[in-house]
């Protein structure tokens, strides 16, 4: 059952699942005023359509000994598809790089890393520069995490 539109109940389901994907289906169904089977069908339809991409566990970074966040801005003088694919391969198997974006403006790429400390960031930095040539790499160490969420707004659905 693929639904053409997302309604208010779907938005409530998504909001609840983004807060805690392990919530029992019975409790979720009750909260959105649906039967368990109707709630399950809606979730399944959102999964089938790709709106729900996957369900994951969020690990506490401090307890996993990676409390330091480093943002890395990268500039390159190379702007070819070959270079872009080389860059994708270079960062793909570095687990400390948890996010990577291609940008407009002064910086070409922005990476977010989580590491135990600056020494470990330096090791990642050395891995990067051993794999590709960059025009500039600028690092910013996060001092305080002021807001972090994996939840996306559902009001635009």
């Amino acid at each position: 059952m693929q639904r053409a539109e997302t309604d208010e109940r779907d938005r409530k389901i998504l909001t609840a699942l983004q807060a805690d994907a392990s919530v029992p289906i019975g409790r979720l169904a009750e909260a959105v005023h649906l039967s368990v089977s109707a709630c399950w069908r809606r979730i399944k339809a959102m999964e089938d359509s790709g709106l729900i991409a996957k369900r994951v566990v969020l690990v506490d970074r401090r307890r996993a000994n990676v409390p330091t966040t480093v943002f890395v801005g990268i500039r390159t003088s190379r702007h070819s598809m070959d270079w872009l694919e080389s860059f994708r391969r270079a960062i793909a198997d570095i687990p400390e790089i948890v996010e990577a974006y291609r940008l407009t403006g002064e910086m070409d790429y922005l990476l977010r890393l989580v590491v135990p400390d600056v020494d470990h960031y330096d090791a990642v930095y050395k891995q990067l520069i051993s794999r590709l040539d960059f025009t500039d790499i600028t690092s910013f160490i996060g001092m305080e995490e002021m807001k972090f969420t994996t939840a996306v707004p559902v009001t635009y659905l």
Side-chain angles (χ1 to χ4, degrees):
M1 169 185 156
Q2 287 205 329
R3 301 165 42 89
E5 293 184 23
T6 304
D7 64 12
E8 187 58 30
R9 283 190 175 146
D10 289 341
R11 286 189 282 278
K12 286 181 179 178
I13 290 168
L14 288 170
T15 298
L17 289 175
Q18 287 187 103
D20 181 2
S22 70
V23 64
I25 189 77
R27 189 178 327 144
L28 181 58
E30 186 178 310
V32 298
H33 307 292
L34 287 170
S35 69
V36 170
S37 58
C39 187
W40 180 87
R41 282 192 303 272
R42 284 175 178 253
I43 294 168
K44 180 77 171 109
M46 289 187 281
E47 289 174 335
D48 291 347
S49 73
L51 181 57
I52 296 177
K54 61 181 166 179
R55 299 187 209 188
V56 298
V57 171
L58 298 178
V59 175
D60 183 291
R61 290 186 308 108
R62 292 192 186 289
R63 291 184 180 195
N65 196 33
V66 286
T68 305
T69 301
V70 182
F71 298 92
V72 179
I74 294 175
R75 288 189 323 141
T76 180
S77 59
R78 306 265 321 270
H79 296 279
S80 68
M81 288 304 293
D82 287 341
W83 195 93
L84 176 60
E85 289 308 313
S86 295
F87 181 67
R88 285 183 202 274
R89 284 190 303 275
I91 65 173
D93 64 347
I94 301 174
E96 293 86 355
I97 299 174
V98 294
E99 293 183 71
Y101 300 91
R102 189 167 51 92
L103 306 174
T104 62
E106 296 283 323
M107 221 177 298
D108 297 308
Y109 302 93
L110 180 65
L111 308 177
R112 184 172 72 90
L113 287 73
V114 293
V115 292
D117 51 41
V118 175
D119 289 338
H120 283 86
Y121 165 63
D122 189 46
V124 173
Y125 169 84
K126 289 174 182 171
Q127 281 184 325
L128 283 171
I129 64 171
S130 72
R131 295 176 183 194
L132 286 171
D133 289 324
F134 302 101
T135 301
D136 182 49
I137 296 181
T138 304
S139 302
F140 305 91
I141 297 173
M143 300 293 291
E144 175 186 2
E145 184 176 280
M146 298 174 70
K147 179 180 179 179
F148 173 82
T149 182
T150 59
V152 299
V154 297
T155 54
Y156 300 100
L157 292 172

